[in-house]
Amino acid sequence: MGTKGREIVGKEVNKIIEFLNKALADEWLAYYQYWIGAKVVRGPMSGAVAAELSEHAGEELSHAEKLAERIIQLGGTPILKPEDWYKLTNCGYDTPDNPEVKVILEQNIKGEQCAIEVYNKMLSELKDVDPVTYHLILEILEDEIEHEEDLENLKEDMDMMNKK
């Protein structure tokens, strides 16, 4: 990052890098949770759910890439070891031990709700500190809100099918 860019962020740079690495851990775990969930999901509407999970997995991977790029721009180092994802995560990882569609959807809805809370908190911390990172987090938050809505709609559709 250039001189003026560093000047804007100032003394908060290490705190911002820490926030971003924690978010990066969440995104990698979310990516894998979606990706593997799409592979193992079973039951009614599993095809539609698997397609949605696969799409979300790609978007979570894109978030991870953007976060890593921003960490590097700020002069930091993105998480280098996957085992550190569990040490830094805000939202954790729900293993899809039960491949039932409803369970998979609930696990991923919970993950999205956590991500929304984390990114919303980051926005309040970054608002007057780092406009570039603020904008990035806002874009990611918009995706996470959309993911939650997509998954809740699928769950609602499935619940309506079961009532018939």
Side-chain angles (χ1 to χ4, degrees), residues 88-108:
L88 294 174
T89 183
N90 297 292
C91 297
Y93 172 80
D94 281 331
T95 305
D97 293 327
N98 181 344
E100 183 185 330
V101 172
K102 186 175 181 180
V103 174
I104 297 283
L105 284 172
E106 288 170 352
Q107 286 177 325
N108 286 286

Side-chain angles (χ1 to χ4, degrees), residues 13-95:
V13 71
N14 290 334
K15 181 179 177 184
I16 295 167
I17 290 168
E18 183 181 337
F19 280 152
L20 294 174
N21 262 319
K22 288 169 103 26
L24 180 59
D26 288 334
E27 293 296 342
W28 273 112
L29 291 170
Y31 162 75
Y32 189 73
Q33 185 169 323
Y34 275 125
W35 180 83
I36 198 67
K39 304 294 183 210
V40 302
V41 69
R42 298 290 176 261
M45 294 181 54
S46 61
V49 170
E52 193 69 37
L53 296 177
S54 292
E55 181 182 325
H56 289 193
E59 291 171 359
E60 303 297 354
L61 187 57
S62 173
H63 297 163
E65 187 169 326
K66 290 174 183 177
L67 291 167
E69 288 172 4
R70 185 63 183 149
I71 291 165
I72 291 166
Q73 288 172 353
L74 291 169
T77 302
I79 303 168
L80 298 175
K81 297 184 285 183
E83 58 265 24
D84 290 341
W85 299 343
Y86 286 102
K87 296 173 189 167
L88 294 174
T89 183
N90 297 292
C91 297
Y93 172 80
D94 281 331
T95 305

